[in-house]
Amino acid sequence: MTKRKIVLKMGGSLLFDSSLSLQLTKLTKIVEILQEAKNIAAIIIGGGKIARKYIQAARKLNANESLCDTFGIQASRLNALLLITALGPHAYPTVITSPNDISQAALSQRILVSGGFIPGQSTTSVTFQIAEILDATDVIILTDVDGIYNKDPNKHPDAIKFDSLSISELEQVIYGTGGKTQAAAGEYRIFDAVSLQILKRSGFRVRLINGNDPNALRTLLVQANFEASFGTAVVKDMKKK
Ligand code: UTP
């Protein structure tokens, strides 16, 4: 069996509570599991609420979308530095800011930590870019919900969770049939356009799980039990004959 190489994305939503305070106890609990985990090559963290606050302020000051994105990128890098601090010697000591830095930093055998790269995409795209460069076998996305639903579970109590879905089904769920995308700074969907393109051509498996569920984290990351059916798996479309 090939050895697993995992690239992890931590949604910025896991870091802040509704009043924008950093949830350090939660972060520490997640980090304890990450320190025990096997096979994590890189972690990418989102901007979360702090990014959205800065983006809103920049927009009010008439910043263009690229500059708004830059605020999001900087916020995610600040979160990445906090994660490096929490991970201690397990982490490569500086935030990875470009794909060009990855190969050399990977020689350290420590966990690489990154936030955003360039305007026009989300940290999910960065996650898939890094997963491709590192030849990862698995990408695990930690969010604040149990998986991918047919509609927003926070607004609709009757929302149904998918145990697995194909990339084209995922596109349907995210963009609907009208093909509308959401690509303003701070508002990229969990899978934005760039990430979907990389996902279609890549070889890694993707699973989205709830980062607040220590059982799911331990099962996948510490016990490396990928047979367990936590969250939602995104699978390749079957080739039509
Ligand atoms: P994300 O939207 O990816 O992180 O990045 P998030 O807010 O934590 O979202 P979830 O919780 O993972 O869904 C924050 C913002 O930073 C900019 C975008 O504006 C994005 O909305 N960004 C991030 C970029 O412009 N380029 C990048 O490579 C990454």
Side-chain angles (χ1 to χ4, degrees), residues 79-124:
N79 294 339
L81 191 56
L82 192 71
L83 182 60
I84 289 173
T85 308
L87 284 166
H90 293 265
Y92 186 73
T94 54
V95 177
I96 301 293
T97 56
S98 151
N100 303 331
D101 301 336
I102 293 170
S103 304
Q104 196 163 4
L107 297 176
S108 69
Q109 301 284 329
R110 296 191 193 189
I111 300 174
L112 309 188
V113 182
S114 179
F117 276 169
I118 51 163
Q121 61 178 33
S122 76
T123 49
T124 308

Side-chain angles (χ1 to χ4, degrees), residues 10 15 22-36 43 45 78-93 111 113:
M10 256 178 91
L15 263 190
L22 277 166
Q23 308 203 81
L24 265 196
T25 313
K26 186 193 276 189
L27 178 68
T28 311
K29 280 195 182 129
I30 295 176
V31 163
E32 275 168 13
I33 299 174
L34 300 179
Q35 286 169 329
E36 267 185 70
I43 306 176
I45 189 157
L78 202 59
N79 294 339
L81 191 56
L82 192 71
L83 182 60
I84 289 173
T85 308
L87 284 166
H90 293 265
Y92 186 73
I111 300 174
V113 182

Side-chain angles (χ1 to χ4, degrees), residues 80-228:
L81 191 56
L82 192 71
L83 182 60
I84 289 173
T85 308
L87 284 166
H90 293 265
Y92 186 73
T94 54
V95 177
I96 301 293
T97 56
S98 151
N100 303 331
D101 301 336
I102 293 170
S103 304
Q104 196 163 4
L107 297 176
S108 69
Q109 301 284 329
R110 296 191 193 189
I111 300 174
L112 309 188
V113 182
S114 179
F117 276 169
I118 51 163
Q121 61 178 33
S122 76
T123 49
T124 308
S125 296
V126 173
T127 305
F128 291 172
Q129 285 156 356
I130 293 181
E132 257 198 332
I133 292 169
L134 291 176
D135 288 321
T137 56
D138 294 83
V139 167
I140 298 177
I141 300 179
L142 307 185
T143 67
D144 57 354
V145 289
D146 284 338
I148 301 172
Y149 289 77
N150 61 344
K151 43 193 171 180
D152 185 348
N154 295 319
K155 292 185 193 147
H156 306 275
D158 62 335
I160 297 164
K161 181 177 86 68
F162 297 99
D163 289 335
S164 85
L165 81 178
S166 68
I167 299 174
S168 26
E169 287 167 334
L170 178 69
E171 282 181 307
Q172 287 272 324
V173 173
I174 294 177
Y175 299 130
T177 43
K180 265 208 311 191
T181 59
Q182 195 123 19
E187 290 167 22
Y188 297 97
R189 303 281 175 92
I190 177 88
F191 292 92
D192 62 323
V194 178
S195 69
L196 284 168
Q197 284 311 110
I198 300 174
L199 185 54
K200 282 178 194 166
R201 69 182 193 187
S202 66
F204 51 76
R205 282 162 289 220
V206 176
R207 176 98 67 113
L208 191 135
I209 62 169
N210 193 336
N212 294 309
D213 179 355
N215 191 23
L217 285 173
R218 279 195 180 282
T219 306
L220 286 168
L221 300 173
V222 182
Q223 292 153 14
N225 174 8
F226 286 81
E227 303 307 316

